[in-house]
Amino acid sequence: MEQAQLPGQWGVLPCDKRFVLGVEIAGRGQRVVLAEPSGRIVAEAHSIDASAPAPVVVDTVRGLIDQACSSIQVDLSEIWRIGIAFGGPVDAARGVTLLSHRAPGFENFPLVNLLEEAVGIPSVLENDARAAAVGEASYGAARGCADVVYVHLGAGVGGGIIVDGRLVDGASGTAGEIGHMVVSVGGPICSCGKPGHLEAYASAPAIVNNFRERLRTARREVIDAWLAPGAITVGAIFERARAGDEIAREVVTETVRVLGLAIANLITVLNPAAVIVGGPVAEVGALLMDPLGARVRQYSYPASVRRLRLSTAQFRGDSAILGAVALALRGDEVR
């Protein structure tokens, strides 16, 4: 398998430029990091207002850029490019966000043009899950692999696909929408309104909702064991499943089975060198990955998993912004 070119191995900026900027606009608010060509982050700044409207976000990001740069006395003239990871669908080619589920005003919003006007630095845009795929391939758990599938399990299910070192966007920019793979005929309704999609089984809210529905018909003593405020979380469900809780075990078994089926199909069709699972659900670690690995190998075409690397994301919540850094460094070469 051909190795991907990585920023740390080849990244050389023009002689008058020393840094790139990574920007993340997602569920945790806005975050900016200043990075060297090696990908090393040297300064950062963030805001926690995840619901701010689009025009306000541009102003906020502009202020965060100034804050990050001034913290180590870097002038904007020393920055080569900005990479943006956005928590929602985007038209990367046009630099336009299409929708945000958290904040108003991002419908067909020309984010790249407005940020470039504000700071005078060329910028590139990508969906945060696809950016996370680039981050893990460039610096993390898939480093050295040219063919990668990244699966993000959080409030929704997303992902990114890298083939021959290049991020796949697709004809209409929806490549990597792994959460909308059909994994059952009928079944629970996805956030998009259609039944049987992976997101309706493997996102954090879906796992919790599945558990709550099953708990409603449980014995009184079982229900009482889960009555404490905040007791029902993804982590608690996986921990209780390991401890022998029958309902938790049923939910985990179904989640792993359906997720394993989806990943096995991706592996068989794409034959990646690595499948990386990230997001809050993946943070339960071996409680998910051990049974998931068994299911993936059970369902996949045997030759496709012979050299497969299956692991959790190395950077957890930092995968997307490191992907934004890599996108800034690599520019058009990532597509």
Side-chain angles (χ1 to χ4, degrees):
M1 184 72 66
E2 180 188 355
Q3 285 203 340
Q5 281 191 313
L6 304 177
Q9 296 172 325
W10 67 272
V12 177
L13 302 186
C15 60
D16 60 335
K17 307 294 182 183
R18 298 171 55 201
F19 303 100
V20 297
L21 282 165
V23 175
E24 184 178 13
I25 302 169
R28 295 179 297 174
Q30 302 84 43
R31 184 180 174 202
V32 168
V33 299
L34 187 67
E36 295 176 335
S38 65
R40 186 174 76 91
I41 292 172
V42 295
E44 65 177 279
H46 69 276
S47 169
I48 60 172
D49 188 358
S51 61
V56 173
V57 167
V58 174
D59 291 339
T60 299
V61 170
R62 177 67 172 89
L64 293 175
I65 289 171
D66 287 341
Q67 184 179 333
C69 291
S70 64
S71 69
I72 58 169
Q73 281 114 38
V74 169
D75 190 83
L76 289 181
S77 64
E78 300 178 79
I79 297 169
W80 183 37
R81 194 184 283 130
I82 300 173
I84 309 165
F86 180 76
V90 303
D91 183 333
R94 294 192 299 130
V96 171
T97 64
L98 302 179
L99 177 68
S100 170
H101 295 291
R102 296 172 306 277
F106 282 103
E107 297 80 7
N108 297 305
F109 184 71
L111 179 59
V112 165
N113 284 346
L114 292 174
L115 188 59
E116 287 180 343
E117 288 176 6
V119 296
I121 300 171
S123 303
V124 293
L125 172 68
E126 191 50 84
N127 163 266
D128 60 347
R130 289 204 290 259
V134 176
E136 289 293 330
S138 298
Y139 307 114
R143 185 176 174 89
C145 298
D147 299 277
V148 178
V149 171
Y150 173 80
V151 182
H152 185 85
L153 306 175
V157 174
I161 298 169
I162 296 172
V163 175
D164 290 337
R166 292 182 177 272
L167 188 63
V168 178
D169 285 327
S172 58
T174 64
E177 289 290 348
I178 291 166
H180 300 293
M181 290 179 63
V182 179
V183 292
S184 70
V185 178
I189 303 298
C190 180
S191 62
C192 71
K194 293 193 173 184
H197 288 189
L198 177 62
E199 185 172 297
Y201 290 93
S203 68
I207 294 168
V208 170
N209 290 339
N210 186 1
F211 182 85
R212 288 184 185 277
E213 284 299 313
R214 293 170 187 253
L215 188 63
R216 290 172 60 185
T217 59
R219 300 185 309 275
R220 184 74 249 174
E221 62 269 23
V222 176
I223 296 174
D224 289 345
W226 290 91
L227 284 182
I232 302 176
T233 65
V234 170
I237 291 168
F238 275 81
E239 287 284 356
R240 295 277 193 98
R242 177 172 61 176
D245 184 293
E246 183 178 348
I247 297 176
R249 190 166 52 202
E250 289 174 359
V251 171
V252 168
T253 297
E254 180 179 62
T255 301
V256 169
R257 176 182 60 80
V258 176
L259 183 59
L261 176 67
I263 291 176
N265 283 331
L266 290 165
I267 290 168
T268 300
V269 171
L270 297 170
N271 191 206
V275 173
I276 308 302
V277 185
V281 175
E283 290 176 11
V284 303
L287 297 178
L288 170 68
M289 297 305 294
D290 287 350
L292 181 61
R295 285 291 191 182
V296 164
R297 284 167 175 79
Q298 176 187 353
Y299 294 146
S300 297
Y301 180 58
S304 299
V305 292
R306 197 165 293 147
R307 298 182 180 178
L308 178 72
R309 182 189 307 176
L310 175 66
S311 74
T312 55
Q314 181 173 332
F315 298 115
R316 295 191 173 189
D318 288 340
S319 298
I321 202 160
L322 287 169
V325 167
L327 287 164
L329 287 163
R330 296 173 67 178
D332 292 337
E333 296 199 26
V334 79
R335 290 190 180 88

